[in-house]
Amino acid sequence: MRTALFAAMLLCPLASAAPAVAQSKVNIEQNFADSLAALPKEELAVSGGFYVPAYSSVAMSQGKLRVDFSVTLSVHNASENQPLVLKRIAYFDTAGKQVETYLKAPVALKPLATVSIFIPTDDVRGGTGANFIVDWAATGEITEPVVEALMVGGIANAHYAFISQGRPTRTATRK
């Protein structure tokens, strides 16, 4: 009985919470100007993509409780001497529907630089099976980028943080 009452008390704020309002557009060009370089004039001979699982919500307590998380997607250029061109950063929900896109046009990331996308805790549009797709390219052979999502959230006095590593979906070289 006490457990059910405690669970009901925890769930009440979730039930009365207003639905998440669409996050204002992230302006990578403006927010990360120091991390960006001019787009290369040479042909982009190498390209690839990453799939990054993300969790804006996680079911807990035998599925009776939902805990919401903030999500930070970070894209790191692991090359020490070559720019990395980011062609697409897109966010998808549990059903595979695109929720947001974060680039209007390709941008070049300086060597060893990083850009990040932040999704606040109250933006639960992604759900329990959210994910990102990141498409990249370079003018020649390059160290593969590092792409990760960091989720942070909590309930009561318990706080959780975990990382989801991006998985390469493809790498192609033009000859």
Side-chain angles (χ1 to χ4, degrees):
M1 175 81 168
R2 275 191 201 177
T3 305
L5 181 59
F6 180 69
M9 288 171 43
L10 288 175
L11 289 173
C12 283
L14 291 175
S16 64
V21 176
Q23 179 185 2
S24 61
K25 283 284 190 185
V26 173
N27 188 333
I28 288 177
E29 295 87 347
Q30 186 175 20
N31 296 350
F32 295 96
D34 290 344
S35 295
L36 301 179
L39 283 170
K41 294 182 183 351
E42 301 90 358
E43 177 186 5
L44 299 174
V46 178
S47 64
F50 278 90
Y51 171 87
V52 189
Y55 307 90
S56 63
S57 298
V58 174
M60 298 181 90
S61 187
Q62 289 85 33
K64 297 175 184 171
L65 179 65
R66 183 186 85 199
V67 179
D68 299 328
F69 290 83
S70 65
V71 179
T72 302
L73 174 79
S74 293
V75 181
H76 305 268
N77 181 356
S79 173
E80 290 187 57
N81 52 25
Q82 208 178 145
L84 175 74
V85 176
L86 298 176
K87 297 171 76 177
R88 176 172 73 142
I89 300 174
Y91 183 50
F92 295 84
D93 69 10
T94 302
K97 179 183 171 202
Q98 184 171 306
V99 173
E100 201 74 61
T101 184
Y102 295 99
L103 293 176
K104 295 175 190 151
V107 296
L109 193 54
K110 290 179 184 176
L112 300 177
T114 302
V115 294
S116 298
I117 303 296
F118 178 74
I119 299 173
T121 306
D122 63 352
D123 184 345
V124 295
R125 296 176 296 159
T128 57
N131 58 79
F132 291 92
I133 296 291
V134 177
D135 291 331
W136 60 270
T139 58
E141 189 174 321
I142 189 170
T143 305
E144 191 171 68
V146 176
V147 185
E148 298 176 317
L150 168 67
M151 280 64 61
V152 178
I155 187 160
N157 290 331
H159 299 291
Y160 306 94
F162 54 100
I163 292 175
S164 177
Q165 295 182 333
R167 291 160 177 80
T169 55
R170 69 191 174 291
T171 303
T173 305
R174 290 189 196 152
K175 295 196 180 203

